[in-house]
Amino acid sequence: MKHYNNVWERWEDNSQRFPNKDAIVHWRAGEEPFRWSFKDLLETANKFSVLLKKQGIKRNEVCAIIIRHNPLFFPLYLGVAGLGAIPAVLAYPNPRLHPDKFKSGVEGMSQRSGLDWIFTEADLEPIISPLVHHEGSTIKGLFFPLEWDREFAITSEEQAELNLVRKSITESDPFLLQHSSGTTGLQKPVLLSQRAVLDHVDNYALSINLTEDDKIVSWLPLYHDMGLIAAFHLPLSYGITSVQVDPFEWVLAPSLQFEALSAEKATVCWLPNFAYNFMADRIEEDEMESISLETLRLVINCSEPVRNESHKKFTAAFSKYGFNPLGLSASYAMAETTFAATQTEPGKPITTIEVDRENLAQGEVTGPVEGKPSRICVSSGKVIEGCEVKIVDENGNELPENGVGEIIITSVSMFDGYRNYPEKTAEVLKNGWYYSGDYGFKQNGELFVIGRKKDIIIVAGKNIYPEDVEDAIGVVNDIIPGRVIAFGEDNLELGTEEISVVAETALDDEKEKRRLIQRVKEKGTSVDLTITHVYLVPPRWLIKSSAGKPSRKANKERIAEMKDLNKH
């Protein structure tokens, strides 16, 4: 296998090996797709590198890219990397997100992870421009690269300067910065090296039997590790085509992914668990009339706990269109290990185990008992090359097979730490092992992920921090400040979690309480949080932890008990 010193070298090699092959097919509903060949993509990326250099962008500076689904995003991203600068993809605000919330998020990231430059669209200038001059901000400038003139020829001198920069980039140098997918204020900036990404491409490709004939299709946003690494960097480095669908369009019309898949004869995609339910529920039969899923050999469940019912629902809905149930696959992945740590074997049925639910909650993996609730645990596969996974107890001691504990990982593609966040890095990186905060167990060499140690809520593939929900709701009139807790509740029908809130109020009148519930939900919507359940309770109802803070776990259990009593 050829050795590359940096990711750019690999891209350049692919542009020479497959000059006319589609690198990226940019898909828009109702339009002819825009196609980047490997050669054209690299040539345009070179032009962006020249333009960026003229704007004063330097090596190792963080360049935040906040751009909607646009074919020029791709060469711009490559152009940033081609200067030895560090690209960081951030989410473009959707219409529901209040501008102040978006601005405070960018400001928080600027101060924490050190954003040097922002590349965006002119629409966002009024929101972001004040941050450039804000006290304490690291942002040096704001640019609109979609408007730059690219009708020029690169001079031999300019090309020589770029070649010099690229030859000096080593495998230990930083390559990209990826912020966690939580709501604003608490994102952890994951810094990945050139070597981490290069090694991961090879090791993960091996685990899914990737070949040069494969094609990736994805609607996944590129600010999330599944979209950025699996559906963008993997194919780009491996020399295969990726078909990129607009995430906002997919939400409105989920059949778009299948339309693109069928037209381009794509073979592999990744989905968060909620998408299996979402697509099965939302895609109508008339939308599938001319669509074939016969080429789809792998649909990989990732980023949320894998649910057996979601796989069944997906298979039942789409087998009639040529989907092979053996295409169902699963992976355990996180940004801190570049992406995947485990993967199920392609073309083989996923292992499932039925266990006693109550015993599992107590840390024991036992078979089902008649008359008692059980749970189907779905395998996330075996470790990929270059990775090792252990299950440990609260003291860090490795547990035997079927022992339930925290999942820890070491990998050749480990992150370099959270940028400018040494205290958070020290919390999770210990002696070369990453402590994931997830609970699981191993059986016959396969990993089963069963839940999260911490309180992060995963709604439709997006991490929601309870603190953010609580902060937003705590300012609503008639809610007692500081007396709010948020947690996730499973919706088995949707295949994902929903946000629930318990809040103390002194109100007694039922009409006033109903209006308050509505105001709480509206407040959530204004900060891009869909709050499904609101439980209003009297003052001093919430159970406090030993630290004096309301305990999410204890109060979630108390609400569950209350709901059970009301059923009888």
Side-chain angles (χ1 to χ4, degrees):
M1 191 176 291
K2 187 171 179 179
H3 180 82
Y4 299 95
N5 293 310
N6 57 60
V7 177
W8 181 272
E9 280 186 9
R10 188 156 187 167
W11 292 340
E12 200 160 49
D13 191 39
N14 285 339
S15 75
Q16 291 165 5
R17 291 169 62 214
F18 318 111
N20 300 315
K21 184 177 181 178
D22 284 343
I24 294 164
V25 178
H26 181 266
W27 195 274
R28 289 298 301 264
E31 295 179 12
E32 192 65 27
F34 185 95
R35 297 176 184 274
W36 283 112
S37 69
F38 279 95
K39 179 173 176 285
D40 290 344
L41 182 63
L42 261 284
E43 285 179 355
T44 308
N46 271 323
K47 288 186 177 183
F48 272 117
S49 287
V50 169
L51 292 166
L52 291 163
K53 197 169 185 295
K54 286 179 178 176
Q55 297 289 357
I57 313 302
K58 296 182 177 64
R59 186 166 168 168
N60 290 339
E61 290 185 324
V62 178
C63 299
I65 304 173
I66 311 172
I67 289 175
R68 284 170 287 197
H69 190 64
N70 189 296
L72 287 174
F73 165 89
F74 308 104
L76 171 64
Y77 183 100
L78 270 62
V80 170
L83 270 186
I86 304 170
V89 185
L90 305 183
Y92 197 96
N94 68 53
R96 288 176 51 199
L97 185 62
H98 193 280
D100 288 345
K101 183 72 173 173
F102 171 73
K103 188 167 70 173
S104 69
V106 174
E107 187 177 0
M109 283 184 275
S110 157
Q111 292 168 348
R112 167 54 69 187
S113 55
L115 308 180
D116 293 296
W117 307 95
I118 292 187
F119 300 95
T120 188
E121 300 177 31
D123 290 357
L124 292 186
E125 182 175 17
I127 301 171
I128 299 178
S129 191
L131 299 180
V132 178
H133 310 290
H134 192 276
E135 188 179 344
S137 175
T138 62
I139 300 168
K140 300 170 184 173
L142 180 64
F143 296 110
F144 310 108
L146 303 184
E147 300 173 13
W148 289 350
D149 179 19
R150 300 179 312 282
E151 297 301 316
F152 66 92
I154 298 174
T155 66
S156 56
E157 185 181 348
E158 287 169 336
Q159 189 61 58
E161 287 176 357
L162 292 181
N163 292 344
L164 203 62
V165 169
R166 289 158 187 172
K167 281 179 182 173
S168 70
I169 299 172
T170 69
E171 58 184 35
S172 62
D173 283 339
F175 174 53
L176 66 87
L177 188 68
Q178 185 171 272
H179 291 80
S180 62
S181 58
T183 49
T184 56
L186 292 173
Q187 294 97 331
K188 294 190 287 288
V190 174
L191 190 65
L192 295 174
S193 70
Q194 304 274 339
R195 178 51 51 196
V197 175
L198 285 168
D199 282 346
H200 192 272
V201 165
D202 291 328
N203 292 331
Y204 189 49
L206 195 64
S207 74
I208 60 172
N209 297 342
L210 206 65
T211 74
E212 290 181 359
D213 295 324
D214 275 309
K215 271 189 183 181
I216 309 299
V217 62
S218 173
W219 57 265
L220 302 165
L222 295 172
Y223 54 82
H224 189 281
D225 59 301
M226 186 161 46
L228 185 68
I229 302 298
F232 176 54
H233 276 296
L234 176 69
L236 192 61
S237 292
Y238 202 77
I240 61 176
T241 306
S242 71
V243 184
Q244 298 285 336
V245 176
D246 185 339
F248 286 121
E249 288 189 341
W250 177 84
V251 168
L252 296 173
S255 61
L256 268 180
Q257 183 174 22
F258 285 164
E259 183 186 317
L261 186 157
S262 183
E264 300 294 328
K265 295 182 167 47
T267 60
V268 180
C269 69
W270 288 262
L271 294 175
N273 191 87
F274 90 90
Y276 290 74
N277 296 59
F278 184 74
M279 295 175 85
D281 289 338
R282 295 291 184 89
I283 297 174
E284 302 290 341
E285 285 199 14
D286 61 346
E287 296 176 282
M288 296 292 293
E289 276 178 8
S290 58
I291 288 173
S292 168
L293 305 180
E294 288 179 4
T295 61
L296 182 59
R297 70 175 185 87
L298 276 181
V299 53
I300 303 169
N301 195 333
C302 196
S303 97
E304 292 186 277
V306 180
R307 291 168 164 89
N308 190 51
E309 287 303 313
S310 299
H311 281 181
K312 283 183 176 178
K313 197 169 191 176
F314 187 89
T315 302
F318 301 118
S319 291
K320 66 183 98 167
Y321 304 107
F323 174 65
N324 182 350
L326 291 177
L328 290 170
S329 187
S331 178
Y332 177 59
M334 63 228 71
E336 287 84 353
T337 58
T338 302
F339 181 59
T342 70
Q343 172 64 45
T344 58
E345 191 175 348
K348 299 282 180 70
I350 299 179
T351 304
T352 58
I353 303 172
E354 187 175 7
V355 300
D356 181 276
R357 187 192 297 169
E358 289 177 13
N359 287 350
L360 186 69
Q362 299 303 316
E364 295 178 40
V365 178
T366 61
V369 177
E370 193 174 343
K372 289 183 69 181
S374 65
R375 170 177 172 176
I376 304 289
C377 296
V378 184
S379 170
S380 290
K382 296 183 178 181
V383 292
I384 71 168
E385 195 76 30
C387 263
E388 193 178 343
V389 171
K390 288 181 183 179
I391 308 296
V392 298
D393 63 18
E394 60 272 14
N395 298 315
N397 300 313
E398 186 173 5
L399 293 169
E401 184 166 277
N402 287 331
V404 177
E406 184 172 4
I407 302 166
I408 66 170
I409 309 108
T410 189
S411 168
V412 296
S413 294
M414 191 73 79
F415 73 134
D416 288 340
Y418 300 122
R419 192 170 194 258
N420 301 334
Y421 222 149
E423 66 277 23
K424 282 290 179 190
T425 302
E427 281 179 21
V428 298
L429 266 187
K430 299 168 187 175
N431 301 317
W433 289 86
Y434 169 66
Y435 282 67
S436 69
D438 291 323
Y439 277 131
F441 64 92
K442 290 206 288 189
Q443 189 176 106
N444 298 324
E446 296 189 63
L447 177 68
F448 294 80
V449 183
I450 59 171
R452 291 173 304 285
K453 184 179 179 182
K454 294 185 180 176
D455 295 318
I456 292 173
I457 306 163
I458 302 180
V459 179
K462 179 182 177 184
N463 290 348
I464 307 292
Y465 291 88
E467 293 92 339
D468 287 352
V469 183
E470 292 155 4
D471 288 348
I473 303 311
V475 299
V476 175
N477 286 341
D478 297 318
I479 295 291
I480 299 172
R483 305 295 294 172
V484 180
I485 64 111
F487 54 86
E489 284 190 275
D490 276 334
N491 183 319
L492 297 177
E493 189 177 330
L494 294 178
T496 191
E497 287 186 331
E498 295 172 327
I499 300 173
S500 295
V501 164
V502 183
E504 292 184 355
T505 179
L507 294 178
D508 284 323
D509 182 82
E510 288 303 316
K511 280 187 179 178
E512 287 184 2
K513 284 164 83 172
R514 282 197 294 272
R515 283 197 287 267
L516 177 55
I517 288 171
Q518 189 58 37
R519 294 207 312 274
V520 166
K521 291 183 176 183
E522 286 170 358
K523 179 61 178 176
T525 300
S526 75
V527 292
D528 199 27
L529 296 167
T530 301
I531 297 170
T532 306
H533 306 286
V534 179
Y535 306 104
L536 296 180
V537 294
R540 306 180 68 80
W541 187 94
L542 290 173
I543 302 167
K544 286 185 177 181
S545 69
S546 57
K549 294 179 181 178
S551 166
R552 295 191 188 100
K553 186 173 184 291
N555 286 296
K556 180 178 180 178
E557 289 170 354
R558 190 176 183 191
I559 283 291
E561 288 169 8
M562 205 168 75
K563 286 163 69 177
D564 285 342
L565 285 172
N566 289 338
K567 286 178 185 175
H568 300 295

